[in-house]
């Protein structure tokens, strides 16, 4: 994949906040998809050497049959600390390296993390989507901000995720009887469409096949 990296990477939280506040208004939460959707990808991160080395994984799958087409791994020194709400600054540099290695350009990227379900509306999915100008979806295993009503145990059940009086995402039961996922628009995709593609990428397990496979790659020893 080819793309431009359009901002310098910060060394302090203060610099990171400025970047988030600058970029948040550029996020598009309406559908701007290049159809038909033929390829979907998942990205995830692992760390080695006590967190000093970042290991990014990308898995590209065909859609809708979800067969693995291509995978890549990238390693680089970790240059930003682990701080909730700022994980994109820690993870995206290595993710970009991994994306540059793939030859198949996906139509949608599902990220292990938040999209706009974030205090400054710029989780890793939104941040990455802006940098590479592609549709992205936040698929988080835990909640960062927001409140929601209890949801039914059956697959497909969902509730709005509300923060400061606004819907920032959805809490989605991706498989009957398992913990829910926290879905939010990343960039260039609406919440209803994001939920639809997450479910269509989740035929069997709790996680979509995209991020499930990327997670295995990122954490493999």
């Amino acid at each position: 994949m080819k793309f431009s990296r359009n901002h310098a990477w910060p060394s302090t939280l203060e610099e990171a906040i400025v970047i988030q506040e600058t970029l948040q208004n550029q996020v598009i939460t309406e559908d701007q998809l290049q159809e038909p959707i033929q390829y979907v990808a998942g990205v995830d991160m692992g760390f080695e050497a006590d967190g000093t080395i970042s290991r990014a994984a990308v898995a590209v799958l065909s859609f809708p049959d979800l067969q693995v087409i291509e995978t890549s791994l990238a390693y680089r020194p970790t240059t930003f600390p682990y701080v909730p709400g700022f994980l994109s600054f820690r993870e995206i540099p290595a993710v970009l390296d991994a994306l540059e290695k793939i030859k198949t350009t996906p139509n949608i990227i599902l990220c292990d993390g938040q999209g706009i379900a974030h205090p400054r509306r710029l989780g890793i999915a939104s941040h990455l989507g802006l940098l590479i100008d592609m549709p992205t979806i936040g698929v988080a295993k835990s909640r960062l901000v927001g409140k929601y009503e209890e949801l039914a145990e059956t697959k497909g059940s969902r509730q709005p995720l509300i923060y400061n009086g606004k819907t920032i995402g959805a809490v989605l039961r991706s498989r009957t009887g398992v913990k829910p996922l926290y879905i939010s628009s990343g960039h260039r995709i609406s919440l209803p469409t994001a939920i639809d593609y997450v479910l269509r990428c989740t035929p069997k397990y709790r996680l979509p096949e995209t991020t499930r496979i990327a997670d295995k790659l990122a954490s493999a020893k």
Side-chain angles (χ1 to χ4, degrees):
M1 282 181 61
K2 299 295 182 182
F3 44 81
S4 61
R5 308 182 185 197
N6 59 7
H7 69 66
W9 292 98
S11 58
T12 67
L13 289 183
E14 289 76 16
E15 292 172 350
I17 289 172
V18 170
I19 291 172
Q20 288 179 336
E21 292 178 341
T22 300
L23 294 181
Q24 64 176 320
N25 293 325
Q26 300 176 29
V27 174
I28 297 169
T29 55
E30 298 176 352
D31 292 330
Q32 292 187 358
L33 306 177
Q34 185 175 1
E35 297 181 307
I37 304 300
Q38 295 180 294
Y39 302 104
V40 291
V43 300
D44 203 354
M45 287 293 301
F47 294 90
E48 301 179 2
D50 294 324
T52 61
I53 301 297
S54 300
R55 173 177 176 159
V58 176
V60 182
L61 280 62
S62 57
F63 185 86
D65 55 337
L66 303 177
Q67 300 300 304
V68 177
I69 300 298
E70 188 178 0
T71 63
S72 71
L73 284 170
Y75 302 80
R76 68 156 55 203
T78 306
T79 58
F80 202 84
Y82 175 86
V83 182
F86 297 90
L87 297 187
S88 65
F89 298 101
R90 178 177 171 88
E91 299 180 357
I92 283 181
V95 169
L96 293 173
D97 290 344
L99 285 170
E100 282 184 329
K101 291 184 175 183
I102 63 173
K103 297 181 175 62
T104 307
T105 300
N107 302 103
I108 302 173
I109 297 177
L110 286 73
C111 300
D112 177 37
Q114 313 292 342
I116 66 166
H118 180 277
R120 286 168 295 282
R121 304 293 194 272
L122 202 83
I124 186 170
S126 297
H127 197 165
L128 178 65
L130 280 171
L131 286 175
I132 63 176
D133 191 26
M134 286 188 62
T136 54
I137 302 171
V139 185
K141 296 187 287 289
S142 59
R143 174 181 54 172
L144 181 59
V145 293
K147 297 181 179 180
Y148 62 96
E149 301 293 331
E150 288 300 314
L151 64 161
E153 290 290 322
T154 54
K155 178 175 179 174
S157 300
R158 68 203 71 172
Q159 288 286 350
L161 182 64
I162 308 297
Y163 182 64
N164 288 341
K166 296 182 179 179
T167 298
I168 58 170
V171 186
L172 175 69
R173 193 83 66 187
S174 58
R175 184 182 177 193
T176 298
V178 302
K179 293 180 180 179
L181 298 174
Y182 299 84
I183 312 301
S184 57
S185 301
H187 182 52
R188 290 178 51 186
I189 196 164
S190 67
L191 181 58
T193 302
I195 293 170
D196 177 51
Y197 277 103
V198 168
L199 286 172
R200 292 170 73 181
C201 291
T202 314
K204 186 175 181 181
Y205 300 99
R206 180 192 178 209
L207 294 178
E209 287 298 284
T210 45
T211 46
R212 188 180 74 84
I213 293 168
D215 174 74
K216 284 189 172 184
L217 290 168
S219 58
K221 300 299 182 183

